[in-house]
Amino acid sequence: MDNSGIYVGLDIGTTSIKVIVAEFVKGQLNVIGVGSERSNGLSRGVIVDIDRAVFAIKKAVDQAEQKANIQISKVTIGIPANLLEIVPCTGMIAVGDDSGNSKEIDSNDVFRVTKAALIQKLPPERDIIDVIPDEFIVDGFDGIKDPRGMVGVRLEMNGVLYTGPRTVLHNTIKCVQRAGLEVEDTIVAPLALATQALSDGEQDFGAILIDIGGGQTTASVVHDHKLKYTYVDQEGGEFVTKDISVVLNTSLENAEKVKRNFGYAASYLASKDDVFPVEVVGKAEPIQVSGEYLSEIIEARLTQIFLKLRDVLQGIDALKLPGGIVITGGVSALPGVKELAEDIFETNIKLFIPQQMGLRHPSFTQAIGLVSYMTKQSEIERVVKASLSDNIASVDKIDSLKENRVQEKEEYNESIKPKKQKIKKNNSLEGFKNFFNTFFD
């Protein structure tokens, strides 16, 4: 399936909301617009104030629209792994006629067998976030990835069902809709993150992905290209900032600044001789704080987080996976995170930082992962996902969705033509200047 077109990912995080607009063409993902806005109305990864969250989403989307020079109407959103449950599902239907004669399997049959697999008794407080097929079975022949076009009498599907709290899913979708946007797809956040941060080999042989965000830290176990387990610790970068604020008796704003500018995750990497001023509440003059003392505060909180994760991951033998641990998320940008994690987990640790121009910071990994996940979805996966809708006509939208993306891409290319022509008219000196500015970015 050719997934060429324009994709938009919306990452609603505790500390920031990020929007990524990307063009996927010839197997290459090119980011053409970015929006980033300070989050409001979220706590520990969950929306607690819809109005404030909507306002922040609108501002982030406006930024991305201006940079990409397109109007954003549909977005793909990530659903956090809070209280996520991963359960197997199985469905079976007859595809032949009343006489038991076989017939050719089509998308509607895939829709029906997925519906059969979704017939489960869910608690009223839970909703289905996603369903992913593992295999289809046609008349006893298993291991089939896409049964459409095959002839059979009986069709079965084995898959994985992801369910989450109804409150989290409903509030997230409602915020996006109130911001004037259509939710194109909902994706379990660790699934999207894995497609970006883990290599094919790591996803195949097994690895642990740790996302240290502002409001919480999520550990995900991926094996055989499937999300097997998630654990969420309700502590993240905001807790580090609060610790600095309390210990140094300074405001949260100042605590965040000194954490970013002078902090180390491993205190032995910091120096006693490196001192910096910190404004203290109740004092006219700032106090002098050493880098080592600041890093001891940071190290204490991160050690607590890592120790919790280690105990949980040891309990399921995940630390034995050959892929080791890959760490990403905004807090992982602190120097010394890798060294501290190696001391605690005693396994191979790797930091992941996106390599897209202008987005080389681990806080963008989730947003980029959302658009990357969409470009890698197969057509059969989209047909299965469409079955979450009660309307069978939604299956027919798969082809029209592809046509819309192609049209969006053509409109975007038309909109930037004048800019390309203008660049060509610049003199050679200006051309060299633009080249070196881009090269050394």
Side-chain angles (χ1 to χ4, degrees), residues 284-330:
E285 297 295 328
I287 64 171
Q288 297 295 316
V289 177
S290 72
E292 184 183 52
Y293 184 56
L294 172 66
S295 297
E296 286 174 351
I297 302 171
I298 297 172
E299 182 181 19
R301 176 62 68 173
L302 290 180
T303 298
Q304 179 177 311
I305 295 173
F306 284 161
L307 286 174
K308 287 182 185 178
L309 298 183
R310 186 190 67 181
D311 293 343
V312 171
L313 294 170
Q314 279 181 339
I316 59 172
D317 289 333
L319 292 176
K320 297 179 181 178
L321 292 172
I325 296 176
V326 178
I327 300 177
T328 190

Side-chain angles (χ1 to χ4, degrees), residues 14 30 97 111 121 133 160 192 234 273 275 284 289 307 345 379 419-420:
T14 304
N30 303 311
D97 56 26
F111 180 96
K121 289 185 178 180
V160 180
Q234 298 294 335
D273 300 327
V275 295
V289 177
L307 286 174
F345 292 105
E379 186 173 326
K419 296 181 181 179
K420 288 182 178 178

Side-chain angles (χ1 to χ4, degrees), residues 27-29 46 136 140 150 170 174 185 191 223 265 319-320 348 378 392 413 439:
Q28 183 70 35
L29 188 68
V46 177
F136 292 90
M150 297 182 178
H170 171 79
K174 186 174 182 180
D185 203 353
L191 274 175
H223 180 251
L319 292 176
K320 297 179 181 178
N348 54 309
S378 65
I392 197 168
N413 290 336
F439 184 81

Side-chain angles (χ1 to χ4, degrees), residues 243-383:
D243 289 345
I244 297 171
S245 174
V246 171
V247 174
L248 300 183
N249 199 25
T250 187
S251 67
L252 287 172
E253 184 179 356
N254 288 332
E256 182 67 22
K257 287 180 181 178
V258 298
K259 180 184 77 173
R260 291 174 181 266
N261 296 333
F262 307 103
Y264 283 83
S267 59
Y268 67 85
L269 297 175
S271 173
K272 294 180 181 178
D273 300 327
D274 292 337
V275 295
F276 50 89
V278 177
E279 296 179 7
V280 175
V281 176
K283 291 188 178 182
E285 297 295 328
I287 64 171
Q288 297 295 316
V289 177
S290 72
E292 184 183 52
Y293 184 56
L294 172 66
S295 297
E296 286 174 351
I297 302 171
I298 297 172
E299 182 181 19
R301 176 62 68 173
L302 290 180
T303 298
Q304 179 177 311
I305 295 173
F306 284 161
L307 286 174
K308 287 182 185 178
L309 298 183
R310 186 190 67 181
D311 293 343
V312 171
L313 294 170
Q314 279 181 339
I316 59 172
D317 289 333
L319 292 176
K320 297 179 181 178
L321 292 172
I325 296 176
V326 178
I327 300 177
T328 190
V331 180
S332 67
L334 282 172
V337 166
K338 180 176 183 290
E339 290 78 3
L340 180 63
E342 286 174 339
D343 292 340
I344 294 174
F345 292 105
E346 298 180 342
T347 187
N348 54 309
I349 305 290
K350 186 175 76 174
L351 294 180
F352 178 82
I353 300 174
Q355 294 304 305
Q356 283 81 357
M357 188 71 71
L359 302 177
R360 291 169 182 164
H361 192 279
S363 62
F364 285 100
T365 306
Q366 179 67 71
I368 299 173
L370 290 171
V371 292
S372 177
Y373 183 89
M374 290 293 288
T375 63
K376 295 176 181 178
Q377 266 191 326
S378 65
E379 186 173 326
I380 192 64
E381 288 175 334
R382 296 189 180 186
V383 172

Side-chain angles (χ1 to χ4, degrees), residues 3-11 18-25 27-35 64 70 72 74-78 184-189 191-197 354 356 359 364-378 382 405 408:
N3 287 336
S4 297
I6 303 293
Y7 295 83
V8 183
L10 173 60
D11 174 27
K18 294 180 174 62
V19 179
I20 298 290
V21 183
E23 178 189 29
F24 187 70
V25 56
Q28 183 70 35
L29 188 68
N30 303 311
V31 176
I32 58 177
V34 181
I70 64 170
I72 297 173
K74 296 176 293 186
V75 295
T76 297
I77 58 176
E184 181 175 347
D185 203 353
T186 57
I187 300 172
V188 178
L191 274 175
L193 202 64
T195 62
Q196 183 67 21
Q356 283 81 357
L359 302 177
F364 285 100
T365 306
Q366 179 67 71
I368 299 173
L370 290 171
V371 292
S372 177
Y373 183 89
M374 290 293 288
T375 63
K376 295 176 181 178
Q377 266 191 326
S378 65
R382 296 189 180 186
R405 282 219 175 83
E408 289 171 356

